[in-house]
Amino acid sequence: MIGTKEAEEVVLHLRRNEEFLDVKTGLIDSGEGKKLGIWVKDNEQGLGTVTFLDSQSHFGALGHGIRDTDTNELLEIGDGRLYTTSIQDIKKGTSGNPGGMEGVIVYNNYNILGSITQNTDEGIYGTVDRIDALFSNQEPVPVAAKEEIHTGDAVIRCAVSGKVEEYKIRITKIDWNARESNKTLVIEVTDPKLLDMTGGIVQGMSGSPILQDGKLIGAVTHVFVQDARMGYGIYIGNMLNHVK
């Protein structure tokens, strides 16, 4: 709704990529007031997994960016909030049809855990205020250097069962020159319990930390659409660069 009754048109000051421009457009009298015939999206929400929390209360999550569902463009954000959620159901992944975790988020002050300040191709980042609610009874984990990471057995931590548990995976490929930095690791879910619950990797597991030899090496980022057992991961060093 436009806060003017007499005007027949307005000038919008827009930004397209790095260019600013003014566009004149007409107004429509809806009977309730003047309106613009445009669609404006002012918020986005979703379910994902926090990967890490450092000693300065900075967190990293997802391992990939939040993109507009219509344009696939990385969303620029002014600010955001981190909320707790409870998992209600799991849609099992099948060939050609990625599954997903279905959760309930209650948008009240009690459930706010912290603030989101960055949305990047390598994850979302911000600060946690209620550390006790999100990371109770957690032990510090060392971070692996690149040269320590190898193909073979590893584990991921995720809360598909309603609580954080470890599940066995296998790292099948490491590509330090991958075209997309959030697809450095190729992983395969081997844990029978996780395969029975989810079929492999499902939406909502993005950000699940990957550990190998007792060290944090990365996070789950994508699932192979044709094979839910397989997916990609990001090297943890790429994520930590955003909180330095």
Side-chain angles (χ1 to χ4, degrees):
M1 191 78 69
I2 303 298
T4 178
K5 296 181 179 180
E6 289 76 25
E8 297 298 326
E9 57 186 22
V10 294
V11 176
L12 304 177
H13 186 61
L14 310 174
R15 193 188 78 185
R16 179 178 296 156
N17 297 323
E18 302 303 319
E19 179 186 3
F20 288 90
L21 62 158
D22 293 328
V23 176
K24 185 183 292 185
T25 183
L27 297 175
I28 297 174
D29 192 342
S30 67
E32 300 175 351
K34 296 294 182 68
K35 291 185 177 181
L36 283 167
I38 61 175
W39 175 66
V40 178
K41 192 171 187 177
D42 64 354
N43 63 64
E44 188 66 73
Q45 62 186 15
L47 179 69
T49 303
V50 172
T51 305
F52 68 84
L53 175 73
D54 70 10
S55 60
Q56 306 301 313
S57 298
H58 300 131
F59 78 86
L62 299 186
H64 61 72
I66 299 174
R67 293 180 173 272
D68 185 275
T69 54
D70 297 290
T71 66
N72 200 38
E73 294 290 328
L74 187 70
L75 290 176
E76 293 189 32
I77 64 169
D79 58 61
R81 292 192 177 111
L82 185 69
Y83 287 86
T84 57
T85 185
S86 58
I87 305 304
Q88 302 294 306
D89 195 16
I90 295 173
K91 181 181 177 183
K92 199 169 182 177
T94 58
S95 177
N97 187 21
M101 299 163 61
E102 297 180 0
V104 173
I105 303 173
V106 179
Y107 293 101
N108 59 33
N109 290 336
Y110 178 77
N111 286 317
I112 297 175
L113 295 172
S115 302
I116 301 170
T117 56
Q118 298 180 63
N119 177 37
T120 77
D121 282 323
E122 297 177 330
I124 62 172
Y125 302 89
T127 56
V128 172
D129 301 321
R130 295 178 53 210
I131 295 175
D132 58 328
L134 188 60
F135 287 92
S136 60
N137 302 319
Q138 296 297 314
E139 295 292 330
V141 174
V143 174
K146 277 186 175 182
E147 56 271 19
E148 297 180 280
I149 302 171
H150 56 87
T151 56
D153 293 340
V155 296
I156 60 172
R157 288 181 179 174
C158 57
V160 292
S161 67
K163 62 179 181 179
V164 177
E165 295 187 80
E166 286 192 354
Y167 300 98
K168 296 176 183 178
I169 66 167
R170 188 163 58 92
I171 299 172
T172 62
K173 182 180 178 181
I174 303 169
D175 183 2
W176 298 119
N177 298 310
R179 186 173 60 179
E180 298 175 70
S181 61
N182 54 30
K183 294 182 177 180
T184 302
L185 309 174
V186 177
I187 63 175
E188 178 185 4
V189 175
T190 59
D191 195 289
K193 183 179 177 180
L194 185 58
L195 290 170
D196 183 60
M197 282 192 297
T198 66
I201 299 167
V202 295
Q203 295 175 358
M205 286 171 61
S206 292
S208 297
I210 304 172
L211 295 96
Q212 187 178 60
D213 301 328
K215 295 185 178 182
L216 179 62
I217 67 168
V220 177
T221 58
H222 299 83
V223 60
F224 285 18
V225 175
Q226 298 303 322
D227 187 352
R229 298 172 304 164
M230 305 291 295
Y232 287 111
I234 184 174
Y235 168 54
I236 191 60
N238 292 345
M239 296 184 71
L240 290 172
N241 286 335
H242 293 276
V243 297
K244 289 182 178 179

Short mmCIF file of all heavy atoms in Angstrom, two decimals, residues 12-23 74-77:
data_model
loop_
_atom_site.label_atom_id
_atom_site.label_comp_id
_atom_site.label_asym_id
_atom_site.label_seq_id
_atom_site.Cartn_x
_atom_site.Cartn_y
_atom_site.Cartn_z
N LEU A 12 10.66 4.58 -8.26
CA LEU A 12 11.33 3.63 -7.39
C LEU A 12 12.84 3.72 -7.60
O LEU A 12 13.31 3.74 -8.74
CB LEU A 12 10.88 2.20 -7.68
CG LEU A 12 9.37 1.93 -7.59
CD1 LEU A 12 9.09 0.48 -7.98
CD2 LEU A 12 8.85 2.22 -6.20
N HIS A 13 13.58 3.83 -6.51
CA HIS A 13 15.04 3.84 -6.58
C HIS A 13 15.51 2.41 -6.33
O HIS A 13 15.36 1.87 -5.24
CB HIS A 13 15.61 4.79 -5.54
CG HIS A 13 17.10 4.98 -5.64
ND1 HIS A 13 17.70 5.50 -6.77
CD2 HIS A 13 18.11 4.71 -4.77
CE1 HIS A 13 19.01 5.55 -6.58
NE2 HIS A 13 19.27 5.07 -5.37
N LEU A 14 16.06 1.76 -7.37
CA LEU A 14 16.39 0.35 -7.33
C LEU A 14 17.88 0.10 -7.50
O LEU A 14 18.60 0.95 -8.02
CB LEU A 14 15.63 -0.41 -8.44
CG LEU A 14 14.12 -0.17 -8.55
CD1 LEU A 14 13.59 -0.88 -9.78
CD2 LEU A 14 13.42 -0.65 -7.30
N ARG A 15 18.29 -1.07 -7.09
CA ARG A 15 19.65 -1.52 -7.38
C ARG A 15 19.57 -2.82 -8.15
O ARG A 15 18.92 -3.78 -7.71
CB ARG A 15 20.46 -1.75 -6.10
CG ARG A 15 21.96 -1.92 -6.39
CD ARG A 15 22.73 -2.34 -5.18
NE ARG A 15 22.55 -3.77 -4.93
CZ ARG A 15 23.05 -4.39 -3.86
NH1 ARG A 15 23.70 -3.72 -2.94
NH2 ARG A 15 22.85 -5.69 -3.71
N ARG A 16 20.21 -2.87 -9.29
CA ARG A 16 20.30 -4.09 -10.10
C ARG A 16 21.77 -4.47 -10.17
O ARG A 16 22.57 -3.78 -10.82
CB ARG A 16 19.73 -3.86 -11.50
CG ARG A 16 19.81 -5.08 -12.40
CD ARG A 16 19.18 -4.79 -13.74
NE ARG A 16 17.76 -4.52 -13.61
CZ ARG A 16 17.05 -3.80 -14.50
NH1 ARG A 16 17.66 -3.26 -15.54
NH2 ARG A 16 15.77 -3.62 -14.31
N ASN A 17 22.12 -5.55 -9.46
CA ASN A 17 23.53 -5.92 -9.28
C ASN A 17 24.25 -4.75 -8.63
O ASN A 17 23.92 -4.37 -7.53
CB ASN A 17 24.15 -6.34 -10.61
CG ASN A 17 23.49 -7.59 -11.17
OD1 ASN A 17 23.12 -8.49 -10.43
ND2 ASN A 17 23.33 -7.64 -12.49
N GLU A 18 25.20 -4.13 -9.31
CA GLU A 18 25.94 -3.01 -8.71
C GLU A 18 25.47 -1.66 -9.25
O GLU A 18 26.05 -0.63 -8.93
CB GLU A 18 27.45 -3.17 -8.98
CG GLU A 18 28.04 -4.46 -8.44
CD GLU A 18 27.80 -4.63 -6.95
OE1 GLU A 18 27.92 -3.63 -6.21
OE2 GLU A 18 27.48 -5.75 -6.52
N GLU A 19 24.44 -1.66 -10.08
CA GLU A 19 23.97 -0.43 -10.72
C GLU A 19 22.70 0.07 -10.04
O GLU A 19 21.78 -0.70 -9.74
CB GLU A 19 23.68 -0.69 -12.20
CG GLU A 19 23.15 0.52 -12.94
CD GLU A 19 22.74 0.18 -14.36
OE1 GLU A 19 22.82 -1.01 -14.73
OE2 GLU A 19 22.33 1.10 -15.08
N PHE A 20 22.64 1.38 -9.76
CA PHE A 20 21.44 2.01 -9.20
C PHE A 20 20.68 2.70 -10.32
O PHE A 20 21.28 3.32 -11.21
CB PHE A 20 21.83 3.02 -8.11
CG PHE A 20 22.32 2.37 -6.85
CD1 PHE A 20 23.67 2.09 -6.68
CD2 PHE A 20 21.44 2.01 -5.84
CE1 PHE A 20 24.13 1.49 -5.52
CE2 PHE A 20 21.88 1.40 -4.67
CZ PHE A 20 23.24 1.14 -4.52
N LEU A 21 19.36 2.61 -10.28
CA LEU A 21 18.55 3.23 -11.32
C LEU A 21 17.19 3.62 -10.74
O LEU A 21 16.72 3.06 -9.75
CB LEU A 21 18.36 2.28 -12.50
CG LEU A 21 17.64 0.95 -12.28
CD1 LEU A 21 17.08 0.44 -13.60
CD2 LEU A 21 18.61 -0.12 -11.73
N ASP A 22 16.59 4.63 -11.38
CA ASP A 22 15.26 5.09 -11.01
C ASP A 22 14.26 4.62 -12.06
O ASP A 22 14.49 4.77 -13.26
CB ASP A 22 15.22 6.62 -10.91
CG ASP A 22 16.06 7.13 -9.75
OD1 ASP A 22 16.15 6.41 -8.74
OD2 ASP A 22 16.61 8.24 -9.86
N VAL A 23 13.17 4.03 -11.61
CA VAL A 23 12.14 3.50 -12.50
C VAL A 23 10.80 4.10 -12.14
O VAL A 23 10.38 4.05 -10.98
CB VAL A 23 12.07 1.96 -12.41
CG1 VAL A 23 10.94 1.43 -13.27
CG2 VAL A 23 13.40 1.33 -12.82
N LEU A 74 21.61 -15.78 -4.64
CA LEU A 74 21.96 -15.71 -3.23
C LEU A 74 21.28 -14.48 -2.62
O LEU A 74 21.40 -13.38 -3.14
CB LEU A 74 23.47 -15.61 -3.06
CG LEU A 74 24.00 -15.68 -1.63
CD1 LEU A 74 23.84 -17.10 -1.08
CD2 LEU A 74 25.47 -15.25 -1.59
N LEU A 75 20.54 -14.69 -1.53
CA LEU A 75 19.81 -13.59 -0.92
C LEU A 75 20.74 -12.69 -0.13
O LEU A 75 21.58 -13.15 0.64
CB LEU A 75 18.73 -14.14 0.02
CG LEU A 75 17.54 -14.85 -0.61
CD1 LEU A 75 16.64 -15.41 0.48
CD2 LEU A 75 16.75 -13.89 -1.49
N GLU A 76 20.58 -11.39 -0.31
CA GLU A 76 21.27 -10.43 0.53
C GLU A 76 20.38 -10.14 1.72
O GLU A 76 19.18 -9.89 1.57
CB GLU A 76 21.57 -9.14 -0.23
CG GLU A 76 22.57 -9.32 -1.34
CD GLU A 76 23.01 -7.99 -1.93
OE1 GLU A 76 23.05 -6.99 -1.16
OE2 GLU A 76 23.30 -7.95 -3.12
N ILE A 77 20.94 -10.19 2.92
CA ILE A 77 20.12 -10.01 4.11
C ILE A 77 20.54 -8.77 4.89
O ILE A 77 21.70 -8.37 4.88
CB ILE A 77 20.21 -11.24 5.04
CG1 ILE A 77 21.64 -11.43 5.58
CG2 ILE A 77 19.72 -12.49 4.32
CD1 ILE A 77 21.73 -12.46 6.68
#
